[in-house]
Amino acid sequence: MQSFLYCPKIVAKKAKIWYNGIKALQCSIAKRCLMDKKSTKKKNEKTYYITTPIYYPSGQWHIGHCYTSINCDALARYYKLHGYEVLYSTGTDEHGQKIAKVASEKGKTCQAHVDERAQSIVDLWKQCGVEYDRFIRTTDPNHEKRVQQIFEKLYKKGDIYKGKYSGQYCTPCESFWTDSQLVEQKCPDCGREVAPTEEECYYFALGKYSDNILKLLTETDFLEPKSRVNEMVTFIREGLQDLAVTRTSVEWGVSVPFDPKHSIYVWIDALSNYITLLGYEPNQKKQSADFEKFWPANMHMVGKEIVRFHAIIWPALLMALELPLPKKVYGHGWLLMGGDKMSKSKGNIVDPLQLIEKYGIDAFRYYLLSEVQFGSDGTYTTELYLQRTNTDLVNSYGNLVRRTFSMAEQYFGSVVSHSGEADSLDDAFLELVAHTPSLLDREMTALNLSGALKRIFELIGASNKYIDDTKPWALAKEETSKPRLMRVIFNLLESIRVVSGLLLPFLSVGPQKVLQAMDTKFGTSALHAKLIVLNAKSDYKLSPLEMLYPRIDIEKELKSIAK
Ligand code: MSP
């Protein structure tokens, strides 16, 4: 558990901090206006910088980790397809005592351990179809150097200062705790005795930025969903204390450049990744082209337990560095297993690679993107996973494609054109095909990814219903109905093209195969713009297509899992 470390007794500094706080508050409003101007400029350039948290390479990867990255991946792909220059970053948070502990338990050096784990997460992202643009490791020497420079810069500015930390210390865990964090006077992590201890350390003047952050949270849409704002506001109103940002007991970390027996608090190290990755140079006025282009980030996607670090500490650090603030922090919910957050210690983790190997990558991505109302918690069960795969991917999308392709082959030798006979029955259906992309845009802008998928599957449902209503098999019986039949199949192919185009950000295999079999090019934003509009194609010559998603025998599967 990462804990905030506070200095209870820094009184002398307080008056100054309070005064600075008022001054900074006034500046911040002006600065925010400037930032908005900057962001308008960026908007015109159509850039989109989205980040995942950087992952701890300590335990085993599980589907909870994939949840953050796959949601970011869908957003990144969506913006790429809509003509944005996207930077999607991810990485690993490799320093700290916990990592050192895990490495030593495994009999490995810290470096060997993190190298191995970093490679394994890169492999995992490949398996999940996560197409990030940049991967940062906090042990990258460039990152470490910049973290040191950031620390020194804030020290010179007076926003980091030396003090004393006193608290309850747990020797086996090498952790400080405040009295209120103790459980029955014992360490909340391991339950062992703690002892009152004092240690010299450096503080970041977080309290000074309290009012600014409060304003940021309450007067802008910086943090979403809104349900997370109240919790942060309460936390700040209880009194934001200065933050201890160094430790002397942690060797596996970035050392303070001018006082190397101290190492820099892992969260300062970790949060800085979002700017060091862009080549941010703390000591220079002129920044890298990447920094100029992509900062401030459009979206920091994080799980709800780390919102506090991203919505309080991170903006305060940026204010101290006098840098623009990210446009949004989104705190998503957890994927629960048996009512609990997945974790190795609870023994309730679900292995993503097993699911992908057994049921395919699309089923995996689809479940994570659709099952949980984005922003809320959701529960994983294998039964639901299999049901969702069968109901939506196999029965709805897969079936629509299979039925339409086989009718096109049977009745027209897989060559279908726009000629033929329209009917008023087509109007509402075609209107829905034409309208769905904008419904989806609305959901994506509101970060309702599960809602966006719902819109696509409504169109798939309507397409299957269109088959039932138009009864192509009955039309095929009469030669005179052939023109009508041709138009029905054409309309269905139009819908399948649009649906598959819309699914590209979410799935990795099925829609891509379908579009290829329709001889429809995709992948760039220029192609995408045509892909998802009605009547962009006037005829189809279809190639044979293997079954997209095999049906799962759920009962059999559950029995074999139970065994
Ligand atoms: N290293 C920090 C982040 C530093 S960012 C500057 C960290 N790492 S983590 O590996 O513990 O978590 C990474 C992400 O995975 C977090 O967003 C976390 O919420 C997410 N998830 C881990 N388990 C999860 C679930 N069971 N469900 C959903 N997401 C969860 O925190």
Side-chain angles (χ1 to χ4, degrees), residues 11-234:
V11 183
K13 288 259 170 195
K14 281 289 171 208
K16 187 171 157 242
I17 288 169
W18 178 82
Y19 170 74
N20 284 345
I22 300 292
K23 245 181 32 186
L25 175 65
Q26 290 157 350
C27 292
S28 100
I29 299 166
K31 235 185 245 168
R32 187 93 199 148
C33 297
L34 277 175
M35 265 182 266
D36 285 347
K37 270 192 193 141
K38 264 193 192 165
S39 59
T40 319
K41 187 178 145 233
K42 274 183 63 112
K43 223 176 235 163
N44 296 338
E45 285 167 8
K46 284 185 85 165
T47 58
Y48 188 76
Y49 177 27
I50 179 167
T51 68
T52 72
I54 47 173
Y55 296 86
Y56 287 129
S58 47
Q60 204 177 320
W61 307 125
H62 56 70
I63 63 172
H65 298 119
C66 299
Y67 184 73
T68 312
S69 283
I70 288 181
N71 274 289
C72 285
D73 187 59
L75 279 166
R77 289 192 198 192
Y78 171 84
Y79 278 98
K80 276 177 195 164
L81 287 173
H82 285 77
Y84 284 73
E85 189 174 351
V86 173
L87 181 69
Y88 171 19
S89 79
T90 190
T92 37
D93 183 0
E94 302 187 352
H95 289 125
Q97 193 166 300
K98 267 211 174 133
I99 309 284
K101 197 167 161 228
V102 174
S104 96
E105 279 163 10
K106 289 189 168 167
K108 292 197 168 131
T109 62
C110 291
Q111 193 61 53
H113 169 73
V114 294
D115 285 350
E116 193 182 281
R117 300 300 296 151
Q119 185 56 50
S120 80
I121 205 168
V122 166
D123 294 342
L124 173 66
W125 297 146
K126 208 179 236 170
Q127 299 291 321
C128 295
V130 167
E131 298 168 353
Y132 57 81
D133 300 294
R134 220 164 282 179
F135 191 94
I136 183 165
R137 300 179 55 185
T138 52
T139 52
D140 289 345
N142 269 337
H143 168 80
E144 290 181 343
K145 185 185 80 198
R146 288 179 181 136
V147 168
Q148 287 184 319
Q149 289 170 343
I150 287 172
F151 193 95
E152 195 159 13
K153 180 171 178 154
L154 296 182
Y155 179 71
K156 282 184 183 152
K157 196 183 168 206
D159 272 352
I160 284 181
Y161 59 91
K162 205 170 192 174
K164 268 212 171 82
Y165 178 75
S166 54
Q168 303 290 344
Y169 191 67
C170 170
T171 312
C173 292
E174 297 175 56
S175 293
F176 272 106
W177 304 103
T178 58
D179 286 340
S180 62
Q181 286 173 322
L182 299 181
V183 177
E184 292 173 357
Q185 301 306 309
K186 306 249 166 70
C187 169
D189 258 7
C190 72
R192 281 179 272 208
E193 294 293 335
V194 290
T197 313
E198 249 191 13
E199 146 176 327
E200 182 187 75
C201 84
Y202 289 84
Y203 281 88
F204 170 57
L206 182 62
K208 164 177 167 182
Y209 295 98
S210 175
D211 288 346
N212 287 358
I213 293 166
L214 207 53
K215 256 185 140 12
L216 177 71
L217 295 176
T218 54
E219 292 178 16
T220 73
D221 53 7
F222 173 77
L223 175 61
E224 282 194 48
K226 286 287 168 228
S227 55
R228 310 259 177 252
V229 173
N230 280 350
E231 199 190 320
M232 292 303 115
V233 168
T234 312

Side-chain angles (χ1 to χ4, degrees), residues 308-323:
R308 204 179 270 192
F309 299 96
H310 287 81
I312 298 178
I313 299 181
W314 183 225
L317 280 172
L318 290 166
M319 287 174 193
L321 290 168
E322 293 169 31
L323 290 176

Side-chain angles (χ1 to χ4, degrees), residues 53-56 62 64 68 93 267 270 274 303 305 332 334-335 341:
I54 47 173
Y55 296 86
Y56 287 129
H62 56 70
T68 312
D93 183 0
W267 272 99
Y274 300 130
E305 81 284 16
H332 66 68
W334 286 340
L335 203 55
K341 184 172 180 249

Side-chain angles (χ1 to χ4, degrees), residues 537-556:
K537 240 173 127 85
S538 55
D539 49 61
Y540 290 95
K541 184 164 180 349
L542 308 176
S543 308
L545 184 62
E546 60 189 32
M547 191 201 282
L548 286 187
Y549 307 108
R551 184 180 310 282
I552 305 167
D553 183 338
I554 299 182
E555 226 174 278
K556 199 170 140 205

Side-chain angles (χ1 to χ4, degrees), residues 278-397:
L278 298 173
Y280 171 64
E281 292 289 355
N283 297 330
Q284 280 169 32
K285 265 225 156 75
K286 180 153 174 45
Q287 293 298 334
S288 68
D290 266 357
F291 188 88
E292 294 295 343
K293 188 188 280 178
F294 290 109
W295 192 257
N298 298 73
M299 167 70 67
H300 289 316
M301 182 75 75
V302 301
K304 62 179 183 180
E305 81 284 16
I306 55 172
V307 163
R308 204 179 270 192
F309 299 96
H310 287 81
I312 298 178
I313 299 181
W314 183 225
L317 280 172
L318 290 166
M319 287 174 193
L321 290 168
E322 293 169 31
L323 290 176
L325 306 183
K327 300 206 177 115
K328 193 163 304 296
V329 170
Y330 190 91
H332 66 68
W334 286 340
L335 203 55
L336 306 172
M337 174 77 174
D340 250 336
K341 184 172 180 249
M342 272 172 224
S343 81
K344 199 181 171 195
S345 57
K346 290 181 194 131
N348 63 353
I349 60 172
V350 179
D351 179 3
L353 293 178
Q354 265 182 23
L355 286 180
I356 293 170
E357 199 186 315
K358 270 188 126 172
Y359 313 115
I361 183 171
D362 278 3
F364 184 67
R365 291 177 63 102
Y366 184 68
Y367 181 83
L368 292 187
L369 290 165
S370 66
E371 183 52 35
V372 183
Q373 166 72 41
F374 202 53
S376 314
D377 288 349
T379 296
Y380 171 87
T381 72
T382 308
E383 193 168 356
L384 251 160
Y385 186 98
L386 301 180
Q387 267 167 11
R388 211 154 242 287
T389 308
N390 266 359
T391 310
D392 294 350
L393 293 186
V394 181
N395 294 347
S396 295
Y397 181 46

